[in-house]
Amino acid sequence: MAAEQGRTQRNGRSDAAAGEPSSSPCTSLKMFLVALSFAYFAKALSGSYMKSTITQLERRFDIPSYLIGVIDGSFEIGNLLVIAFVSYFGAKLHRPKIIAVGCVLMSIGTFIIALPHFIIGRYQFETSVRWVVNSTLNPSPCPVGSQADLTQGGKLPDVPPTGCEGESNLSMWIYVLLGNVLRGIGETPVQPLGISYIDDFATEENAALYVGCVQTISVVGPVFGYLLGSLCAKIYVDIGFIKMETITITPADSRWVGAWWLGYLIAGAITLLSAIPFWFLPRSLPMSGRQGPGKCTPEQTSFIKGSPLLKHKYPADDNTSLIEMAKDFIPTLRTLLGHPVYLIYLCVTIIQLNSLIGMVTYKPKYIEQHFRQSASKANFLMGVINIPAVALGMFSGGVLMKRLKLNIMGAARFAFGTSLIGYVLSLFFFAMSCENAKVAGVTLSYDSVDMISYDKHSVFTACNSDCFCSASEWDPVCGDNGITYVSPCLAGCSRSTGSGKNTVFSNCSCVGVTGNFTASTGQCLHTDDCDRMFPYFLALSVITSFIISLGGTPGYMILIRCIKPQLKSLALGFHALATRTLAGIPAPIYFGAIIDTTCLKWGQKRCGGIGACRIYNTTAYRIAYLGLTLSLRTISFIICIPGFILLSRQLKKEERNGTHGALANGATELEALRKEEFVICNSDQSQQTSDNSTDRETRL
């Protein structure tokens, strides 16, 4: 028997070596883990960089927030187009190579996003400041005229600038949307095929740790994505094509646009590199039961306990035609959707992801608008402070799950508890507010400059009635009285000296009664109250992010463990499909639309039409942004109640079935032992009879 087992093991090793001569299962699994982690890093970097450029894209293409939400959601549309088929058919094909193709498509899509910068004209923003060389006499910012010369609505007569004929019907943001769709298509196979591949060849106790490592790397990616966004936001969009001394605005200005295109080129190159290792990985690893005892643990056999044959676990090895797989798709999907715990889990994660995606998408913008930080600083803080807390939380959650040896119910309670604590702490964000900027004619009236009011004010008053001004332009100046005015003209300034950023406006009739007060370019920076409140906001943001992310890995493992192993790839794929369709696509759109309702002053496109928002009602912004986020999470907590009940019933049912199965197996084994004992007894009796007859013959 021992010799036969030795021959079997030798044959098993030779067969495995013939099929996969390059590496052992453990080595291949580690290689795949590293490759998948790098792919997760690359896709997370490009995805987070997209979110860090939201305000840059708004200003560059003069579009509102809801349209930015459409662009951001187009990534999920790309996923939606192919994810169900990739998850189902890809699990039966060569998974590593399919992931490699996806990474290449992601890279191409990222390069397409940067394409508009090279085919669109130079960025032109609203300004009355001119760069004049060797001249101290500038045109008056207050042309002589009257309000009667303005058209209805307070606008100057419509005279389109030159060069608008070719741009009137062409929206360059379409290229960004199409590139993001292609990114979504390419990202599709990475998660469902990658996670299922790891879970197939890892022990049950190590699977949570491996998934936690991959998820942690996927959170480290946004650190570099936001840092890249911070760096590019400091660089002017047309760097290298114009003289920087001619730029009259700073990165803190609401009209500033950074070099958004540069980061997409870098992210595309990194994503292209991540595709290389997958071309050299095996389709599936050899069965660990055929390995030598010193090689690695029997990882494949541990997932389906009590199953000595694993041929049904790896459909990639089956010679099944595509037609047969297609016929089996609908019944398999019906079985999956008939699982009550899976459905409840799906609903909870969809609602929570709506809250999470909407919050993360517009959080840098919230920091910019509410706490008056530049886009570069907001992205830097997201990358250095907030994202590392999330990474540490997700990794710690995976380690705790392994140390505590949590089952499905324990993981569910752990995830729910951390989410609830984070929810309670998030309520304190409502108390962290800053006073809105003081802008004459927008947040306060010219007559009462001491009290902020959000009533509809007029930018025209007696002090600027002699100026031929436009109410639609946004060219803010800061008066000596600490009040921001929409433009030098509306501030009543009749003279200007200097050039570029050093321009000084004088004789501003609206700044002071005597008319001798001056104003400088840009908004007034009143940051005293924000500087005191902002550190508390950051500290609370880090704490809540860490606590909520602690339940990320245990919550994800519930999805893997609550269903049959045969449905694992399809369950992961359909979960990704549903969350992207019902959360990833709509959340940025309706969050952006609600944020747009809080805008107080819209910019104007160069060729006419409403552009990006210049200033928001920060109080309304805070209530809308935080209120919507926490309302969605409240709904998810309510749905969790029946989920716990159903999960408890399922576990009790499985326990009873397991007990009955053990009793049945025990009875079968007892019956087999009795039969064996009976056969042995009969054999002994026959042997004894034979011995007696032999003795009689000998005596005869």
Side-chain angles (χ1 to χ4, degrees), residues 149-150 163 223 245 295 325 345 371 414 470 579 626 650 682 693:
D149 298 324
L150 299 174
V223 174
E245 59 267 19
K295 295 296 182 181
M325 288 189 291
Y345 179 87
F371 296 99
F414 185 84
S470 171
T579 53
L626 297 176
Q650 176 182 323
N682 290 339
S693 59

Side-chain angles (χ1 to χ4, degrees), residues 658-675:
T659 303
H660 293 161
L663 292 175
N665 291 336
T668 303
E669 292 177 1
L670 182 60
E671 184 66 23
L673 288 174
R674 289 176 178 174
K675 289 182 179 179

Side-chain angles (χ1 to χ4, degrees), residues 57 84 105 111 128 166 213 216 287 311 340 353 357 362-363 374 387 421 440 450 486 492-493 541 548 593 667:
L57 296 176
L105 290 178
F111 289 137
S128 58
C213 290
T216 300
M287 293 173 61
K311 61 181 180 180
L353 281 175
I357 292 173
Y362 294 101
K363 190 167 187 177
S374 66
I387 302 299
I421 295 173
D450 295 329
V486 174
C493 303
S541 179
I548 293 175

Side-chain angles (χ1 to χ4, degrees), residues 11-295:
N11 291 337
R13 284 195 296 270
S14 63
D15 292 342
E20 305 292 344
S22 58
S23 61
S24 67
C26 287
T27 304
S28 297
L29 182 61
K30 292 177 181 177
M31 289 175 59
F32 185 86
L33 183 63
V34 172
L36 186 65
S37 298
F38 186 49
Y40 262 69
F41 170 83
K43 77 181 184 70
L45 183 144
S46 58
S48 60
Y49 183 76
M50 162 65 77
K51 296 188 181 299
S52 74
T53 58
I54 278 181
T55 53
Q56 312 297 316
L57 296 176
E58 280 186 20
R59 298 168 185 173
R60 183 63 186 94
F61 299 107
D62 275 321
I63 54 179
S65 295
Y66 84 89
L67 205 50
I68 279 291
V70 173
I71 294 175
D72 189 69
S74 64
F75 176 84
E76 317 299 348
I77 294 176
N79 270 265
L80 174 63
L81 295 176
V82 296
I83 193 168
F85 300 100
V86 168
S87 300
Y88 184 72
F89 296 111
K92 303 174 183 295
L93 302 173
H94 199 303
R95 286 179 280 186
K97 288 188 177 180
I98 293 176
I99 295 175
V101 173
C103 291
V104 173
L105 290 178
M106 275 197 294
S107 176
I108 296 174
T110 308
F111 289 137
I112 292 177
I113 293 176
L115 183 62
H117 172 75
F118 301 98
I119 59 179
I120 199 174
R122 299 288 167 256
Y123 175 55
Q124 298 181 9
F125 52 87
E126 309 160 274
T127 182
S128 58
V129 180
R130 298 290 180 266
W131 174 259
V132 183
V133 181
N134 297 329
S135 175
T136 58
L137 181 62
N138 294 338
S140 172
C142 176
V144 178
S146 66
Q147 297 182 44
D149 298 324
L150 299 174
T151 62
Q152 186 177 7
K155 295 183 180 180
L156 287 169
D158 228 0
V159 181
T162 58
C164 287
E165 295 79 7
E167 293 186 14
S168 57
N169 296 321
L170 182 60
S171 298
M172 287 295 173
W173 59 266
I174 294 294
Y175 290 95
V176 181
L177 185 142
L178 293 178
N180 213 27
V181 169
L182 190 58
R183 275 188 60 241
I185 294 175
E187 192 265 352
T188 304
V190 177
Q191 180 181 6
L193 301 188
I195 295 297
S196 64
Y197 191 94
I198 286 180
D199 198 63
D200 282 346
F201 297 99
T203 61
E204 186 175 357
E205 60 180 7
N206 286 335
L209 181 61
Y210 291 163
V211 172
C213 290
V214 173
Q215 298 287 357
T216 300
I217 296 297
S218 71
V219 182
V220 172
V223 174
F224 293 90
Y226 280 107
L227 289 179
L228 182 62
S230 175
L231 175 64
C232 294
K234 290 182 179 179
I235 305 172
Y236 188 67
V237 60
D238 293 322
I239 184 73
F241 297 96
I242 60 172
K243 295 181 179 180
M244 289 305 299
E245 59 267 19
T246 63
I247 302 302
T248 60
I249 56 177
T250 65
D253 197 289
S254 61
R255 295 164 293 174
W256 175 273
V257 176
W260 59 274
W261 52 273
L262 181 60
Y264 286 110
L265 297 181
I266 297 174
I270 294 175
T271 308
L272 187 61
L273 289 176
S274 69
I276 297 176
F278 290 102
W279 296 106
F280 305 98
L281 289 167
R283 176 178 180 177
S284 60
L285 299 180
M287 293 173 61
S288 59
R290 295 177 180 176
Q291 304 301 320
K295 295 296 182 181

Side-chain angles (χ1 to χ4, degrees), residues 355-356 359 363 366 386 418-433 536-537 539-549 622-623 625-634 637:
S355 173
L356 177 65
M359 180 193 68
K363 190 167 187 177
Y366 179 78
N386 209 10
T418 55
S419 182
L420 185 60
I421 295 173
Y423 171 84
V424 173
L425 292 176
S426 298
L427 295 174
F428 290 97
F429 284 124
F430 283 102
M432 298 179 178
S433 61
Y536 296 105
F537 172 82
L540 184 60
S541 179
V542 169
I543 294 172
T544 54
S545 298
F546 174 78
I547 293 176
I548 293 175
S549 59
R622 182 178 72 255
I623 295 174
Y625 174 74
L626 297 176
L628 184 57
T629 300
L630 296 179
S631 297
L632 289 170
R633 289 169 64 182
T634 302
F637 290 145

